[in-house]
Amino acid sequence: MPLKIYWVFSSIFIEVKVDAGLGDRQLERYRIVISSYDKEKQLLILLSRFPHEADEEILDSNILWTQIGDWFREEIGTDNLEETSKYLIEQ
């Protein structure tokens, strides 16, 4: 089940994957569901460990876990973090 975020003008579905692959037509099915919401902006995002090939009409963005770590390092650095937080960011 994807993480669902709703705002006044937006619906965002975020499918999170670590080691599992996508199910049969999983992103297509999510696109159908999100398209049924009456919102100006509808986004389907895949957060995964590895890049996935997907039709641009179905998937709006594929964000990698390594990108999340890069963003944290760029925005807050690692100097003042606890060891556990540093470890998670460096993964």
Side-chain angles (χ1 to χ4, degrees):
M1 209 54 178
L3 171 65
K4 301 172 187 175
I5 303 170
Y6 302 104
W7 280 295
V8 176
F9 300 108
S10 302
S11 293
I12 302 170
F13 279 28
I14 303 173
E15 176 60 21
V16 179
K17 296 287 184 183
V18 177
D19 290 321
L22 293 167
D24 182 43
R25 299 182 53 232
Q26 184 176 5
L27 295 177
E28 290 176 51
R29 288 180 283 137
Y30 290 163
R31 175 55 68 189
I32 291 168
V33 172
I34 197 171
S35 296
S36 69
Y37 293 98
D38 187 25
K39 302 286 184 175
E40 289 178 27
K41 187 79 166 173
Q42 302 166 343
L43 295 175
L44 177 56
I45 299 168
L46 176 62
L47 174 57
S48 61
R49 192 169 173 193
F50 304 106
H52 289 273
E53 295 293 324
D55 189 336
E56 290 179 9
E57 292 180 11
I58 296 173
L59 186 63
D60 294 299
S61 184
N62 183 185
I63 299 172
L64 303 180
W65 283 105
T66 54
Q67 290 174 291
I68 301 290
D70 291 344
W71 294 336
F72 274 109
R73 279 190 297 280
E74 289 171 13
E75 293 299 319
I76 61 173
T78 57
D79 293 339
N80 297 320
L81 296 178
E82 294 179 9
E83 290 304 312
T84 304
S85 298
K86 284 183 188 179
Y87 175 80
L88 292 172
I89 289 174
E90 296 301 326
Q91 294 304 305

